[in-house]
Amino acid sequence: TAVPSGDYGYDLVMLTHAENGERENGQIYFQFKATDNLAVLTKKDNSIAFSLKWEHINLWYDSADPVLLIVFDAQAEISYW
């Protein structure tokens, strides 16, 4: 899957290692997004609404490895994942 235009791919890649120090298969990708206008739907369970481009969703969905989306509310200085 192609990287969406105007985007440079994932923001962070985490590799994991076994107790003996050997690298394990796979990785975890992190994608960070920030906004000044985050819609918090319920504070009880920290539900938010955040618009995303389909090209990004498709890229993450097609990934063989997990992708964690971290959304930063710049006004409240809090992150959601």
Side-chain angles (χ1 to χ4, degrees):
T1 303
V3 173
S5 61
D7 200 325
Y8 300 103
Y10 300 108
D11 296 311
L12 180 73
V13 178
M14 182 174 74
L15 306 175
T16 59
H17 296 83
E19 286 186 29
N20 65 2
E22 288 185 28
R23 185 180 180 279
E24 296 177 320
N25 291 332
Q27 54 260 338
I28 301 171
Y29 297 111
F30 291 83
Q31 183 68 57
F32 298 97
K33 301 290 183 184
T35 182
D36 287 321
N37 301 305
L38 186 64
V40 178
L41 303 177
T42 63
K43 292 190 181 233
K44 179 181 176 184
D45 62 359
N46 290 323
S47 296
I48 61 171
F50 185 74
S51 294
L52 296 165
K53 293 181 180 179
W54 276 108
E55 59 187 332
H56 290 126
I57 295 169
N58 289 333
L59 174 70
W60 305 333
Y61 183 78
D62 290 341
S63 174
D65 295 303
V67 179
L68 294 174
L69 172 64
I70 313 294
V71 179
F72 179 68
D73 181 345
Q75 294 297 316
E77 296 186 348
I78 190 169
S79 295
Y80 298 85
W81 60 280

